[in-house]
Amino acid sequence: MDIRTYLKNNLLYLDGGMGTLLQAKGLKAGELPERWNITHASVIKDIHKAYFESGSNVVSTNTFGANCLKFDESELREIIFSAVKNARQAVLEANTDSPKWVALDVGPTGRMLAPYGDLSFERAVEVFATTVRLGVQAGVDLIFIETMSDSYETKAALLAAKENSTLPIFVSNAYSASGKLLTGATPKAMVALLEGMGADAIGVNCSFGPKGLAPIVKEYLEYASVPVILKPNAGLPNAQNGETKYDISPIEFALECAELAKQGARVLGGCCGTTPSYIKELFESTKHVTPKGILTKEHTLVSSYSVGLEIGKTPLIIGERINPTGKPRFREALKNGDVNYILKEAVSEEENGAHILDVNVGIPDVDEVERLVQAVSSIQSVVPLPLQIDTSNPVAMEKALRIYNGKAMINSVSGKVESMESIFPLVKKYGGVVVALTLDENGIPNSAEGRVVIAQKIIAKAMEYGIAKKDVVVDPLALTISADKNAGLITLKALKMLSEMGINTVLGVSNVSFGLPCRDSVNSTFFTLALQKGLSLGIINPSSREMMKAYYAYKAIGGMDDNFSDYIAFAESTLNEVGKVQKVENVSGAQTKGLVSAIIKGLKEQSAKETELLLGKKSPLEIINDDVIPALDKVGVDYESGKAYLPNLLMSAECAKVAFELIKQRIPAGQAEKGVFVIATVKGDIHDIGKNIVKLLLENYGFRVVDLGKDVAPEKVVEAVKKHRAPLCGLSALMTTTVPSMEETIKQLRVGAPWCKICVGGAVMNGEYAKKIGADRYCKDAMETVRYSLSVVE
């Protein structure tokens, strides 16, 4: 039976953890578990068989870390084929009549993708594609992408799976205590991305026990129209007699999962710490649960790497400034490749209240494909807002959609057959909310009814491609009233008709006033009238005070602004024109522009320019203490309070690094150094994302970081600490199987370098566990590592 068909009417049971069981069978610290597919095939097969006989319908191959970054081509092939063979043998031997499937398990690469890391998006796609192709050749039934903590890497894996197989694809992400991914994505943002790209089931795994994941699962259930996966840990880990144990019993685990199954979770299993006994209790506790129907949710969602926005609940603003039409300075920037100018426009639009940014770079004599990809990538590195990709060039559209981190708005498709045939396949492949222009081969109808007919035609054709009505937003086209006094009335009537049909709408508002004086007055009045008719999205200039007055006043009058907080904030900023120029404050409360602002906003070129200017006015150490560190502290505080996301933190750190490189040239060697910090990912673990983030921030705070890399033996860590007489050492581990390596490293450090303070971090760590294995401090993120390190050396 096809697993998609089975899921429509049944709960589906996954397996549990693998690493803990392999450790119990003799897997040594630092030993790669994927190689056991070859060297201990019967052990792997028996584990799969035990899961099937405990109630699992799906077992995942022992290939979590099997990729071409870790193994050479021939070994990778042998590992994956052996893994699938072991699982297939378990299917044959398992004494159960329930349906059984074998999933290719695909875990993260352990590398951070560009622009925050050194792994390009296309290289990541190819890494995952290599694994997928081998899995398909070996005969798996589906692909299970799991434990992803970065939305961009998740997209790369899903895209690779779609492009290299026709199998069902399940995708599961690992969330932090903040309820977001490591790189900032909310559950709503991930539902938008994954469902938009066509994943067959989506959800959560690892991280916490069932109760800890419950709020995240409930958000998935609110927005997802596909089956939701729940695959939690057996609670939190702790060390007992040298072994890793978890604090939730099989019965507790099962009962907590059962509650979420009753609320709609459809795909159930376990992650770290769970064993066949957990899956058996899970099956027994839920086998009589009647699955809730999987309903189509009518939420129109767009997303970035961190933000998920719903279109249609309240009106939203699309910033129109990143567009060369009528903007000579912008056109000049495009011709000169001046990305910094574009980034400043993007930051300004965000600060002035835009929710989505339109990005259009199409001018003659410029390679639009190259410029659009560059603009989208660069803007996403500094601004967390979703983007509307605006081009009439299908090649440029596809290139931009491919590298876009999230579910974009796509501007646009028309009622022309050629347009629909070129754009709808892109919407279906990459996901997106597409703007439908109400024009066709006959032009723009001069009646509201004619435009609605074209809108209906476009929506019907979109549905033929498998694109839901909710993912089409109609633009009834605002034409200039200076050419036709009734043009505005026709557009407003069309807006009302579309709104009454339950169709979301978008409008380029300022077109209505073209050719007239005092355009803001006409635009703001028309905008208010359009909002009254049900306009969902207004494409406007958010720096226009008249337009924003109309917007905030309409929301306040329309009951869309709780406690009038948005209106009051806007009114206060209007009265205080000083706050209009620059909202960033330094630690003393004084208004800042210059370097502090550039670092906080993540503008690298601007940071370099401002540093050069300051070096002519202040001493190097004054710049560090008065500008660089306060800026990093501000972003760090915002990150810790949830106001900023990891990409913001990383881009600000990169800007500070640019500033430091210039400042260092004026400082005697060692003068600004706070101390030496030795850092490593422990033996057997090849995941170094967290380590690299910590390194970047520590360097910006004045530490000399000795980075030993990943998969580092305990002896090498001790040797480096002793060589540099380092007061601090940081150890990272992502996988349960590598925690013994961390404990052994700490033991050796206590003997060989007793003066050194040891902090630990990683997905499998917590404060209690860190104490039990002998660490001085558990640091939940990079900023906490910085603060702890400063407390040690100062």
Side-chain angles (χ1 to χ4, degrees), residues 33-107:
E34 293 82 9
R35 288 187 172 133
W36 272 44
N37 291 306
I38 303 166
T39 61
H40 297 72
S42 62
V43 172
I44 303 299
K45 181 261 293 178
D46 287 344
I47 291 173
H48 291 322
K49 179 182 174 183
Y51 276 123
F52 277 133
E53 293 180 344
S54 298
S56 296
N57 301 116
V58 178
V59 298
S60 294
T61 55
N62 180 34
T63 54
F64 180 81
N67 62 63
C68 58
L69 298 177
K70 191 173 179 180
F71 301 99
D72 64 34
E73 182 180 349
S74 61
E75 186 179 19
L76 180 62
R77 181 181 182 84
E78 186 178 7
I79 283 171
I80 292 176
F81 271 72
S82 298
V84 176
K85 180 181 178 181
N86 296 336
R88 282 283 171 220
Q89 189 63 35
V91 170
L92 295 174
E93 294 184 15
N95 185 23
T96 171
D97 295 327
S98 60
K100 302 177 192 67
W101 293 274
V102 173
L104 176 70
D105 194 32
V106 179

Side-chain angles (χ1 to χ4, degrees), residues 317-322 349 354-358 538-542:
I317 291 170
I318 300 176
E320 68 177 12
R321 296 295 300 166
I322 305 175
E349 290 198 290
H355 304 102
I356 300 168
L357 304 184
D358 183 81
I539 304 175
I540 68 170
N541 177 5

Side-chain angles (χ1 to χ4, degrees), residues 115-128:
Y116 315 113
D118 61 356
L119 185 63
S120 73
F121 179 77
E122 290 299 343
R123 175 58 177 150
V125 172
E126 181 52 35
V127 168
F128 289 120

Side-chain angles (χ1 to χ4, degrees), residues 392-405:
S392 59
N393 182 334
V395 175
M397 181 66 78
E398 174 158 24
K399 292 289 187 182
L401 285 173
R402 187 174 180 86
I403 58 92
Y404 179 74
N405 189 355

Side-chain angles (χ1 to χ4, degrees), residues 177-415:
S178 67
K180 301 171 183 174
L181 299 189
L182 174 68
T183 48
T186 62
K188 185 196 292 187
M190 291 311 297
V191 171
L193 170 64
L194 299 175
E195 192 172 311
M197 288 186 66
D200 295 287
I202 61 177
V204 298
N205 79 288
C206 204
S207 307
F208 311 104
K211 280 187 179 178
L213 290 177
I216 299 168
V217 171
K218 290 174 183 177
E219 191 167 344
Y220 269 79
L221 291 171
E222 179 181 356
Y223 292 105
S225 301
V226 296
V228 171
I229 301 166
L230 169 64
K231 202 173 189 286
N233 288 348
L236 296 173
N238 57 75
Q240 295 179 11
N241 301 319
E243 295 183 10
T244 301
K245 302 290 185 181
Y246 286 76
D247 63 1
I248 295 179
S249 71
I251 293 175
E252 290 175 294
F253 176 87
L255 292 176
E256 290 172 10
C257 286
E259 287 302 311
L260 291 168
K262 292 172 184 176
Q263 295 178 48
R266 180 59 68 96
V267 183
L268 308 173
C271 200
C272 299
T274 60
T275 64
S277 63
Y278 281 80
I279 300 304
K280 183 175 179 59
E281 290 292 347
L282 174 62
F283 177 77
E284 293 296 331
S285 297
T286 56
K287 65 182 180 182
H288 297 303
V289 172
T290 301
K292 291 190 70 173
I294 301 171
L295 304 176
T296 299
K297 311 296 189 343
E298 296 300 330
H299 299 287
T300 300
L301 301 177
V302 292
S303 68
S304 65
Y305 66 81
S306 60
V307 176
L309 280 181
E310 182 170 358
I311 296 169
K313 291 186 69 175
T314 59
L316 300 175
I317 291 170
I318 300 176
E320 68 177 12
R321 296 295 300 166
I322 305 175
N323 188 313
T325 304
K327 303 181 185 73
R329 177 66 187 87
F330 191 95
R331 295 171 71 89
E332 181 184 348
L334 287 176
K335 289 180 179 179
N336 296 334
D338 185 357
V339 177
N340 195 52
Y341 181 87
I342 297 173
L343 295 183
K344 285 193 284 187
E345 285 284 0
V347 170
S348 175
E349 290 198 290
E350 179 193 14
E351 291 179 340
N352 284 311
H355 304 102
I356 300 168
L357 304 184
D358 183 81
V359 181
N360 183 314
V361 297
I363 60 171
D365 303 322
V366 163
D367 184 339
E368 185 181 5
V369 175
E370 179 184 341
R371 282 286 188 271
L372 187 59
V373 169
Q374 180 188 40
V376 168
S377 178
S378 298
I379 292 169
Q380 284 210 292
S381 71
V382 299
V383 175
L385 302 182
L387 303 184
Q388 174 172 272
I389 300 173
D390 185 356
T391 177
S392 59
N393 182 334
V395 175
M397 181 66 78
E398 174 158 24
K399 292 289 187 182
L401 285 173
R402 187 174 180 86
I403 58 92
Y404 179 74
N405 189 355
K407 180 183 179 185
M409 287 198 69
I410 298 170
N411 191 6
S412 56
V413 69
S414 73

Side-chain angles (χ1 to χ4, degrees), residues 9 96 132 157 164 214 280 293 351 447 467 512 523 561 601 623 709 781:
N9 300 302
T96 171
V132 168
N164 292 278
K280 183 175 179 59
E351 291 179 340
S447 71
I467 300 163
V512 75
N523 292 342
D561 187 359
K601 293 176 181 178
I623 299 172
D781 56 36

